[in-house]
Amino acid sequence: MVAPAIRVAPSAANRALNLLRTVQYTHPPNCPCHSNPNHHHHHKTPSMMNNVRRHLATPVDPSRQKEYAFEMAASSIRFGPGSTKEVGMDFTNMGAKRVCIVTDSNVAKLDAMKQAVEGLTREGIQFTIFDKVRTEPKDSSIREAIAFAKPYKPDAFLAVGGGSVIDTAKLMNLYTVFPEADFMDFVNAPLGKGLPVTKPLLPLVAVPTTAGTGSETTGTAIFDLVEKKAKTGIAHRALKPTLGICDPLNTRTMPSAVHAASGLDVLCHSLESWTAIPYNERTPRPTNPINRPAYQGANPISDIFSLEALRNTVKYLPRAVRDPDDHEAQSQMLLAATLAGVGFGNAGVHLCHGMSYPISSQNPGYKHSGYQVDHPIIPHGVSVAVTAPAVFKFTAASNPDRHLAAAEAFGIDISNVKRESAGEVLGNAIAEFLAKLGDQPRGLKDLGFKSSDIEGLVEGTIPQQRVLMLAPNLSGELEAERGELRRLLEESLDY
Amino acid sequence: MVAPAIRVAPSAANRALNLLRTVQYTHPPNCPCHSNPNHHHHHKTPSMMNNVRRHLATPVDPSRQKEYAFEMAASSIRFGPGSTKEVGMDFTNMGAKRVCIVTDSNVAKLDAMKQAVEGLTREGIQFTIFDKVRTEPKDSSIREAIAFAKPYKPDAFLAVGGGSVIDTAKLMNLYTVFPEADFMDFVNAPLGKGLPVTKPLLPLVAVPTTAGTGSETTGTAIFDLVEKKAKTGIAHRALKPTLGICDPLNTRTMPSAVHAASGLDVLCHSLESWTAIPYNERTPRPTNPINRPAYQGANPISDIFSLEALRNTVKYLPRAVRDPDDHEAQSQMLLAATLAGVGFGNAGVHLCHGMSYPISSQNPGYKHSGYQVDHPIIPHGVSVAVTAPAVFKFTAASNPDRHLAAAEAFGIDISNVKRESAGEVLGNAIAEFLAKLGDQPRGLKDLGFKSSDIEGLVEGTIPQQRVLMLAPNLSGELEAERGELRRLLEESLDY
């Protein structure tokens, strides 16, 4: 389905000029070349005003036009302790009769699954259970899950578990609805074809059992593409669950170390989406709204979610980690995870997430305390947060006010802080927060990385263009960017 | 489709007790009898703790159980100047081929409609136009619109206009999908049967041309039920548009007086939803999630939207009214209207809206300046705001902190304000805001109402139970409630 490009009449130029006057968005422009992902490693993208003026005289190259709109989409969210048991009625209400339940072997034993299965049984709904979801899924494990779902011909999906489970269920849904598609058709470009999703998917209800990924609200699914040695995924609003059921009873089973790591993912979702480049600095302007990415840059609605999630995480994560009986704090962290999910699900993440993928996959042998596994593991939230002090020190120059507001969320009195010091102040606040949380590495060295590993981490980060393109203050020129990532990783060795 | 009630095992009582410990919600309990809409005029509802303790020993009467979950649903929102022209592509992307466009005779002439029609034409999509929507729709005008839509057999709807247009389009969609239904089947109980909507409706894209109702994000449609002399409506999440396209270019055509009145609707949406009773004080707990009302009381997610919308309205509405060329302020008011729509669309409104309906319909002959009509008119936003100073002075006792936070949004320094004075301070702040906005009545007397009209307004308000049940601090006993409404209306005569 190819839609014609928007015709750009002279009035479009007027509108673009009006846009400059009307959209109040105080983020100062960052390096203009960086803001164009399609021209990410060229250095000549004209500035916005030049762009607008060009339209008055010359034909428009849409790939050089900046975005002028944002789109906010989120799953419906139900929040309440005990609400898992409603899920059978939800499927009846949707008219579903044959549900594919997706979970993993650990969650399969928990009360969340018991409630879900009982709920479906009470309603007389047929179901099958796929309980082989792999934590940190690979393309091979996703393909296996899809192969399970297709012949069952479900009319709806139910995911019960953490981000890996919910992400896997999204892709089972996608390829069940597009059974003829090649797996790479929908994988994010440039690794895959990045085709848009042109049909509605089946209903998917997501019941998170961790307070971290926010996957229950987003259209994003992340996995390792093994042959390319890259963490990538599929991102489109059409993938978002129909309904997320956030039941605080389901996160009680998390050990303290999992509370901490999951919560650090929430912290970085909120910080990164709050500081991502603004949507109207992103290029190219899509010629069809279906091509507007889910990760579109910070916008006035995602901002509300991101900042609120940040404040709640700072307030409640330490309590949730310290006291396993602090159910109020746990409940608030589940809410914060979902709010952050709406924020980053529509704005995106950037440097911490971009660097976290090689940090986790190039693990020199670190095993995080409190994780009951028989192999080395750097939990996702830990690998994300370990670079955060350096990252936000670096990005602050792009928008000191926003970084000061973030520092204020950490309880810093910013009334006498100079804007030039915003990065220093926020970076220190994050480092102190991590130290006080306890059992967190004080830098990459604590994870076993040495200076000689930095180059590998840089090369593992460079392919993460989908998130790097939203990073403020990156030079956008390949060699310069390598240098910037190198410095960020070096600074993250210890603190 | 009848779903079995949730079985209440002993663990449910434990969960209810856990709820008390886990859900952080600082709203103090208001009169317990009021919080039960089904028993609104009885005076013996047990308190929450008693309710919980009862479950340990006796069978549970679900109608007396308080709510334990909330559900957040909103339309996808696209926001950007010029984004109306994308709408043709949206319908192509949805697979729609035959669209019923809904508008009114004024909007039909505006650029918003031109852009929409051109968008559909470019995509080769068939469409018909219904341009006879009545401002402040009656059941008869809604039925006429439905009769137009049904034989066309559209596969999607497009609404271009203000709240009346969007609300009418929602109901054309509903009764096209349920062609055999009696009109009263879905009308809110007790006037209608209040049946839940059990099938997905057709895609509806809403393009608002006013910054007021927020109807583009809600599942609510309001109209006059003439034979019952009541303003009522149909409210269910299933009615919410698929997509709201908020294009600030489309609100430029509003005269200043319309900016003001629409903006006062936004002001009260945000204030009322922010101060509505909390969701977990509402009874009965629904036995099936499909019966959870859209207007469910204040909850932690609606709160975020409501407070942000309030702050933005205080900041930008005076500018939007004063200067027709202040496109930034107009754009921000369109955003505030949508944010407030998400807030009240999931939390509800209460006293200002409840009293506004008889105020508008019992208009003694007032014609608001700046409205180019040949008949008396109290615009909806004006009739809503005229009681606001008295209302929030009255409701403050239910939750002084929340009312102080609202006063702070008006720029009041609350650091030395006592909690007992919260109502006084907020009421005065609202009165001053209205006075400074200009061209607003200084009370009901300015609208032509006399003391002798109060009784009629009281009797016209009493049937608005769907919103009154969310009002904090009302006694909940019919005669006492009449007295409270009488005092609120008397206080609103002049200020």
Side-chain angles (χ1 to χ4, degrees), chain A residues 197-472:
Chain A
V197 179
T198 53
K199 277 191 288 194
L201 304 191
L202 296 171
L204 162 61
V205 177
V207 181
T209 57
T210 62
T213 67
S215 181
E216 66 278 8
T217 77
T218 75
T220 301
I222 300 291
F223 54 84
D224 276 313
L225 192 60
V226 175
E227 64 178 295
K228 302 279 171 112
K229 290 188 186 160
K231 197 100 174 180
T232 183
I234 298 179
H236 195 276
R237 325 191 148 72
L239 264 66
K240 72 181 158 58
T242 318
L243 173 68
I245 297 185
C246 297
D247 180 343
L249 300 182
N250 294 339
T251 60
R252 299 236 177 125
T253 42
M254 285 199 289
S256 169
V258 180
H259 271 300
S262 311
L264 292 178
D265 197 18
V266 181
L267 187 82
C268 290
H269 285 158
S270 55
L271 279 166
E272 289 173 68
S273 53
W274 171 246
T275 55
I277 68 160
Y279 73 98
N280 53 2
E281 288 291 317
R282 198 190 76 245
T283 55
R285 175 184 298 197
T287 52
N288 184 312
I290 205 171
N291 294 320
R292 187 163 283 129
Y295 283 12
Q296 57 198 317
N299 63 72
I301 303 187
S302 66
D303 284 351
I304 301 170
F305 283 90
S306 301
L307 194 57
E308 185 76 9
L310 176 61
R311 289 182 182 134
N312 285 356
T313 302
V314 170
K315 183 169 177 186
Y316 292 107
L317 180 57
R319 283 175 46 184
V321 170
R322 203 162 44 229
D323 179 2
D325 292 325
D326 190 340
H327 297 153
E328 182 197 340
Q330 289 171 17
S331 178
Q332 289 289 335
M333 277 309 301
L334 181 59
L335 183 62
T338 294
L339 296 178
V342 180
F344 91 84
N346 288 278
V349 286
H350 55 80
L351 286 162
C352 299
H353 271 77
M355 292 189 286
S356 77
Y357 302 128
I359 290 171
S360 277
S361 65
Q362 297 173 27
N363 182 0
Y366 174 84
K367 189 173 159 190
H368 195 61
S369 80
Y371 272 66
Q372 308 299 326
V373 288
D374 56 5
H375 54 81
I377 185 165
I378 305 174
H380 173 64
V382 173
S383 68
V384 165
V386 70
T387 59
V391 161
F392 296 101
K393 189 175 157 193
F394 168 74
T395 56
S398 69
N399 191 335
D401 292 339
R402 228 160 232 264
H403 287 70
L404 284 176
E408 197 170 24
F410 281 92
I412 307 292
D413 175 5
I414 60 161
S415 52
N416 291 314
V417 178
K418 287 190 183 132
R419 296 174 85 245
E420 308 87 272
S421 310
E424 191 76 29
V425 167
L426 178 56
N428 291 342
I430 297 169
E432 195 186 325
F433 182 83
L434 294 173
K436 283 192 180 162
L437 201 60
D439 289 328
Q440 295 306 314
R442 304 276 296 157
L444 291 168
K445 277 190 180 166
D446 282 356
L447 299 176
F449 288 100
K450 298 190 293 282
S451 298
S452 55
D453 297 320
I454 298 285
E455 218 46 46
L457 295 176
V458 170
E459 291 311 310
T461 305
I462 287 291
Q464 306 298 331
Q465 288 302 323
R466 196 177 62 97
V467 293
L468 291 185
M469 79 184 203
L470 296 171

